[in-house]
Amino acid sequence: MLWYKSWLETRWRFLIGLALLLCSAAGAVLTYPQVLKLLPQVPPHVDGLLGEKIREAADLARSYQGYVWSSWFRQNLTQAASLFAVLLGTASFLSLEGGALFTLSLPVSRRRLVFVRAATGLAELFVLVFVPSLLIPLLSPAVGERYALGSALIHSACLFIAASVLFGLALLLSTVFGDVWRPLLIALAVAFALAIVDQALHSPALSLYRLMSGETYFRTGRLPWGGLLAAAGAAASLHVAAIANFTRRDF
Amino acid sequence: MTEQPIITTSGLYKSYDGVEAVRGLDLQVPAGSICGFLGRNGAGKTTTIKILLGMARPTRGEARVFGLLAHSPQASAAIRLRTGFVGEEKDLYPYMTVAEMVRFAAAFYPRWRRDLEQRYLRRFELPAERKVKALSRGMRTKLALLLALCRGADLLILDEPTAGLDPAITEEVLQALVTHVGAEAMTVFFSSHHIAEVEQIADRVAIIDRGRSVVAGALDDVRQAFCRVEMVFDGEAPEAELRAPGVIQVRRSGRVLVVVSRGGADPIVSAARALRPKSIDVVPLTLKEIFLASLGEEA
């Protein structure tokens, strides 16, 4: 029943996220013909960082694989998955209004309480990342293109592993603060700060967002094993810290 | 009634950020008793209950429930399996309906009582499909009580169960509790600062002040031990010190000398005879007077 409770707590965040991402994935695929028509209108010489971005996006959009990676995996899904990882990771462990004392009076260990909540949230994040991404190979024939199922799976896996770091951060913060707003806002602020650093340093090798987008795989065909292992390790550490903090604290 | 304690605390201390909420609490609650846990706001009642349920760890000392150490995570889960709990805030899950709350709680207790569940749903007139967030405080209290009573528990721990309720619902809740405990073999430990309700349903009392137990025992024994001896003199009441065990208060007012004792009336009466009063009356104290006298003594 703890699973059911976790589902009830997170279902609206999850369902809204799933609906938005499914629409977004379908939109990304179905607008490709319009994007192709607009490409000749992109001016060849635009100065500055913005110009560089426009040129890069236009260059990538000349191939369908590049377009999908750029508009979906690097942009839409990375941004949405970061947001929903934080939203799904934010829990009401300590909130009296959320029934914290009633939950603690149940004959269940605190470790199991956090574990079930984390597992439910991660499963939802997994669905949010994989299901809309799998829509892309399915819908691509509708615009006369083809996108490999394997690529969709690999990009989704990179994104899920990297986003689980933000999920773990929100989960840990939820065991520190008694309300749901501070964990949510702090985790979002951290995600935003990482994005700013990423932009400022032009996607450094150790960038979380670069890992999320699967850029290394897209450009070289190789999996970023080091980054994936580091992200998985960081996420696991944050989850263990959340369990340890929740287990040791007084109410 | 067996006298084996279900709850024992010895030398129990708990500090939060340097503030001592519980200071050396010694407490015993025998099996089968209904023990009222009295104290002012902030006396340490809720903290003690949280320690018993494993929600807070003691700074020093220990608390045992069913002989198990309350701060051990494994033992604490075993304690909670046999314990029904109603918190002061009656904090349940606002997003669940009454029926979902009942189904959810039932899943954790192998000894869940379906017969009682149906009986209390009818008796409390709880609307099964209404969300918890839409329930009044009284309804929420009844639901919390139902969830505690149907667990098939051996021990009920209630933290201010009637706080914030109107007198009619308070009476309904207390009656349900008394009827239930009368029918099921269980121990009840409930905190309150409403002395009348403790007198109404408890057979034992523990009074806590500033984290320490100041009075504890069977209600009848406590009532016998505490008394007020009123002496009237021909002239002004003498200022001589009354040397007797258990004296906790001495008040002089003109020709009247009033002594409050926690050691029974006999030692006071014997000592008082030496002062040659015109009359001596021994008056039993109400629980409210005992409560106030013990707090005064502690202060």
Side-chain angles (χ1 to χ4, degrees):
Chain A
M1 284 304 266
L2 283 177
W3 297 94
Y4 178 63
K5 172 182 176 286
S6 294
W7 162 247
L8 289 183
E9 281 173 356
T10 53
R11 61 183 166 173
W12 289 115
R13 285 171 253 181
F14 167 69
L15 291 172
I16 290 169
L18 187 61
L20 285 175
L21 284 169
L22 283 171
C23 290
S24 177
V29 173
L30 298 175
T31 54
Y32 183 61
Q34 278 77 44
V35 171
L36 279 181
K37 281 182 197 160
L38 289 171
L39 278 181
Q41 295 174 30
V42 176
H45 302 293
V46 187
D47 293 331
L49 188 64
L50 183 64
E52 194 183 313
K53 295 273 176 203
I54 291 171
R55 265 199 313 279
E56 191 202 8
D59 287 346
L60 285 166
R62 287 182 214 290
S63 81
Y64 185 64
Q65 314 301 314
Y67 167 75
V68 169
W69 176 75
S70 164
S71 69
W72 175 249
F73 288 111
R74 187 170 70 166
Q75 198 174 305
N76 295 6
L77 188 57
T78 292
Q79 289 167 0
S82 305
L83 174 67
F84 281 98
V86 170
L87 284 172
L88 290 170
T90 305
S92 56
F93 292 122
L94 315 181
S95 160
L96 292 184
E97 294 80 20
L101 291 187
F102 178 78
T103 308
L104 289 168
S105 79
L106 297 171
V108 179
S109 70
R110 293 191 194 180
R111 183 181 304 214
R112 185 163 160 73
L113 291 175
V114 181
F115 173 80
V116 170
R117 177 60 181 78
T120 309
L122 282 174
E124 289 169 341
L125 183 62
F126 184 89
V127 172
L128 282 187
V129 169
F130 277 80
V131 171
S133 298
L134 293 179
L135 197 63
I136 288 175
L138 285 175
L139 277 183
S140 293
V143 291
E145 296 289 344
R146 211 182 138 268
Y147 193 83
L149 184 69
S151 287
L153 287 173
I154 288 171
H155 279 295
S156 301
C158 292
L159 210 143
F160 172 71
I161 291 169
S164 64
V165 175
L166 295 174
F167 178 94
L169 176 66
L171 191 78
L172 173 61
L173 291 168
S174 298
T175 66
V176 175
F177 298 106
D179 58 288
V180 292
W181 295 109
R182 278 180 290 177
L184 181 69
L185 294 175
I186 294 172
L188 284 176
V190 170
F192 187 68
L194 285 175
I196 297 289
V197 170
D198 206 46
Q199 288 293 317
L201 300 179
H202 298 285
S203 293
L206 288 174
S207 156
L208 189 69
Y209 291 102
R210 188 175 173 179
L211 186 66
M212 266 193 207
S213 69
E215 188 171 345
T216 305
Y217 177 73
F218 172 73
R219 294 195 190 282
T220 67
R222 289 198 311 270
L223 278 170
W225 284 112
L228 289 175
L229 285 173
S237 304
L238 288 165
H239 284 78
V240 168
I243 289 175
N245 191 47
F246 190 62
T247 304
R248 67 153 193 85
R249 71 172 297 146
D250 283 333
F251 288 85
Chain B
M1 183 197 301
T2 60
E3 283 300 314
Q4 189 199 351
I6 289 285
I7 295 173
T8 313
T9 71
S10 40
L12 193 67
Y13 281 81
K14 178 64 192 171
S15 306
Y16 288 104
D17 300 325
V19 177
E20 284 190 325
V22 176
R23 299 186 301 159
L25 180 70
D26 295 311
L27 190 69
Q28 288 206 334
V29 178
S33 62
I34 301 180
C35 181
F37 193 34
L38 279 169
R40 290 188 273 212
N41 290 332
K45 301 189 296 290
T46 298
T47 302
T48 305
I49 285 175
K50 284 179 176 175
I51 292 173
L52 295 175
L53 289 166
M55 296 174 187
R57 259 179 293 267
T59 314
R60 262 191 289 157
E62 65 172 38
R64 287 181 181 270
V65 181
F66 307 119
L68 302 168
L69 264 182
H71 68 262
S72 147
Q74 290 79 18
S76 179
I79 290 168
R80 293 195 299 270
L81 188 62
R82 298 172 61 190
T83 305
F85 169 67
V86 176
E88 185 179 359
E89 297 302 323
K90 285 87 191 175
D91 59 323
L92 302 169
Y93 306 136
Y95 47 83
M96 282 193 189
T97 64
V98 169
E100 282 172 335
M101 248 348 280
V102 171
R103 240 188 352 261
F104 174 80
F108 293 93
Y109 300 93
R111 293 195 291 167
W112 183 265
R113 297 281 302 274
R114 294 277 169 208
D115 55 329
L116 292 180
E117 172 196 313
Q118 292 307 313
R119 189 193 304 166
Y120 287 124
L121 278 172
R122 279 194 303 274
R123 178 172 174 174
F124 293 154
E125 297 176 337
L126 288 163
E129 296 312 315
R130 192 175 297 171
K131 286 249 164 73
V132 168
K133 66 182 167 199
L135 295 177
S136 65
R137 189 176 175 89
M139 287 295 225
R140 228 167 49 229
T141 302
K142 289 178 190 174
L143 176 58
L145 193 62
L146 179 151
L147 298 175
L149 295 181
C150 295
R151 293 179 184 189
D154 300 313
L155 169 67
L156 263 185
I157 296 184
L158 314 172
D159 189 9
E160 307 274 4
T162 60
L165 301 184
D166 68 45
I169 294 181
T170 298
E171 188 58 29
E172 196 182 347
V173 165
L174 291 179
Q175 282 307 321
L177 198 58
V178 168
T179 312
H180 183 88
V181 174
E184 313 283 327
M186 68 188 329
T187 308
V188 181
F189 182 66
F190 74 103
S191 77
S192 180
H193 51 257
H194 295 302
I195 292 158
E197 70 189 36
V198 173
E199 272 188 313
Q200 188 180 343
I201 66 169
D203 55 24
R204 290 186 72 84
V205 66
I207 300 177
I208 181 175
D209 191 39
R210 294 182 194 130
R212 284 199 193 99
S213 170
V214 289
V215 173
L219 199 50
D220 289 343
D221 294 344
V222 170
R223 280 198 178 115
Q224 271 192 350
F226 280 80
C227 63
R228 186 170 62 239
V229 180
E230 295 177 355
M231 290 161 264
V232 180
F233 294 86
D234 284 330
E236 281 287 302
E239 290 196 8
E241 199 176 328
L242 203 72
R243 292 187 184 278
V247 172
I248 54 177
Q249 240 176 50
V250 179
R251 289 196 307 269
R252 286 178 186 79
S253 176
R255 299 191 304 136
V256 180
L257 181 67
V258 178
V259 177
V260 177
S261 164
R262 61 180 302 159
D266 294 347
I268 309 291
V269 172
S270 304
R273 287 195 203 290
L275 302 174
R276 299 185 179 282
K278 192 172 144 190
S279 67
I280 302 178
D281 281 325
V282 177
V283 183
L285 293 189
T286 63
L287 188 56
K288 182 179 177 182
E289 288 170 320
I290 293 171
F291 177 70
L292 293 173
S294 359
L295 301 191
E297 178 192 18
E298 179 68 4

